[in-house]
């Protein structure tokens, strides 16, 4: 069974500082990994995904994520945080599996608070 | 939130009442999904549909029902059998449900509250 863990319920970072939101995963096959952002009372917005290839994936709004197969991690990063980045971030994984429909499994979310 | 609309934004349910949440997409996507979001629990899959006239139960289907009579529409009914329906409900779609690389796109959500 696939799973994804976001070990931090909340991350606080000062505006202008780099930010990292952590994600680790477990799958039986090759992972497909996603990051989404959710603003209060809104739906999830897609940020980026890893399918194959370069371990550093660039996405929307200056975010990037680094895929590390040996550590089974897919941490979200941004070089310089903005107050407007404050939101709830979800990591998600989909296992290629052994056939049939493979659902997307979401983490429990990490609240990012950027302090002015 | 792209081309996915959900209505209403807020919905109030009385005891013993069935309520229906609407989800419509104009993205020409084959697959549609319903998720429930509770604080601290992430998103849990209720039902999904990979094609018109077909749908499958997700992880927490009890107390819910769906239909997929049109490609664009995937309404969710919360029945009186769902004893704890208070949550934020999210509809999503993707181009082809069987493609593992695909991104799911989400609607703005409906918040269901019990009176």
């Amino acid at each position: 069974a696939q799973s994804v863990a976001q070990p931090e319920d909340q991350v606080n970072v000062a505006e202008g500082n780099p930010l990292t939101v952590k994600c680790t995963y477990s799958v039986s096959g090759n992972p497909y990994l996603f990051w989404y952002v959710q603003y209060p009372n809104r739906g999830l917005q897609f940020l980026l995904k890893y399918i194959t290839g370069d371990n550093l994936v660039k996405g929307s709004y200056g975010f990037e994520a680094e895929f590390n197969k040996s550590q089974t991690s897919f941490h979200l990063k941004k070089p310089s945080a903005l107050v407007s980045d404050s939101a709830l971030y979800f990591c998600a994984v989909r296992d290629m599996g052994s056939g049939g429909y493979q659902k997307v499994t979401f983490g429990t979310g990490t609240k990012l608070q950027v302090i002015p | 939130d792209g081309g996915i609309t959900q209505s209403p934004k807020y919905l109030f349910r009385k005891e013993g009442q069935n309520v229906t949440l609407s989800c419509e997409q104009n993205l020409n996507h084959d697959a549609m999904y319903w998720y429930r979001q509770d604080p601290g629990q992430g998103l849990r899959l209720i039902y999904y549909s990979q094609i018109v006239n077909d749908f499958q139960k997700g992880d927490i289907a009890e107390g819910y029902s769906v239909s997929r009579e049109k490609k664009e529409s995937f309404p969710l009914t919360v029945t009186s059998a769902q004893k704890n329906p208070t949550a934020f409900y999210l509809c999503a779609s993707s181009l082809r449900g069987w493609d593992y690389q695909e991104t799911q796109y989400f609607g703005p959500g409906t918040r269901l509250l019990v009176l």
Side-chain angles (χ1 to χ4, degrees), chain B residues 8-21:
Chain B
K9 187 172 183 179
Y10 294 95
L11 185 57
F12 298 91
R13 194 190 90 164
K14 296 179 181 178
E15 291 290 335
Q17 186 182 39
N18 293 351
V19 293
T20 298
L21 286 62

Side-chain angles (χ1 to χ4, degrees), chain B residues 41-82:
Chain B
Q41 293 194 47
L43 276 67
R44 293 181 290 169
L45 183 64
I46 305 173
Y47 269 98
Y48 64 95
S49 169
Q50 293 183 270
I51 199 166
V52 175
N53 292 321
D54 182 68
F55 51 84
Q56 304 295 329
K57 293 181 179 180
D59 297 322
I60 56 164
E62 185 175 352
Y64 300 97
S65 66
V66 294
S67 63
R68 186 87 187 276
E69 297 175 0
K70 297 188 300 182
K71 187 175 185 178
E72 303 79 21
S73 178
F74 192 40
L76 173 73
T77 296
V78 183
T79 74
S80 57
Q82 173 48 244

Side-chain angles (χ1 to χ4, degrees), chain A residues 61-79:
Chain A
Y61 313 119
F63 284 94
E64 57 189 27
E66 186 171 10
F67 172 67
N68 187 317
K69 189 172 183 178
S70 63
Q71 297 185 6
T72 61
S73 67
F74 189 56
H75 300 332
L76 181 70
K77 300 181 180 183
K78 188 174 183 182

Side-chain angles (χ1 to χ4, degrees), chain A residues 32 34 36 38-46 49 51-52 88 90 94-109, chain B residues 1 9-10 33 35 37 40-45 48 50 59 88 90 94 96-109 111:
Chain A
Y32 297 102
F34 305 82
Y36 288 86
Q38 184 181 36
Y39 297 97
N41 295 309
R42 301 290 300 276
L44 275 66
Q45 295 179 30
F46 169 72
K49 66 181 177 182
I51 302 301
T52 187
L88 187 59
F90 288 96
R94 196 174 197 180
D95 192 345
M96 187 173 168
S98 56
Y101 177 77
Q102 295 294 323
K103 67 173 185 176
V104 177
T105 298
F106 288 84
T108 53
Chain B
D1 297 324
K9 187 172 183 179
Y10 294 95
Y33 314 83
Y35 290 93
Q37 184 179 13
Q41 293 194 47
L43 276 67
R44 293 181 290 169
L45 183 64
Y48 64 95
Q50 293 183 270
D59 297 322
F88 193 51
L90 289 162
S94 64
R96 299 172 298 268
W98 50 264
D99 188 338
Y100 303 107
Q101 302 181 23
E102 279 193 348
T103 300
Q104 292 184 6
Y105 295 94
F106 286 80
R111 187 166 298 281

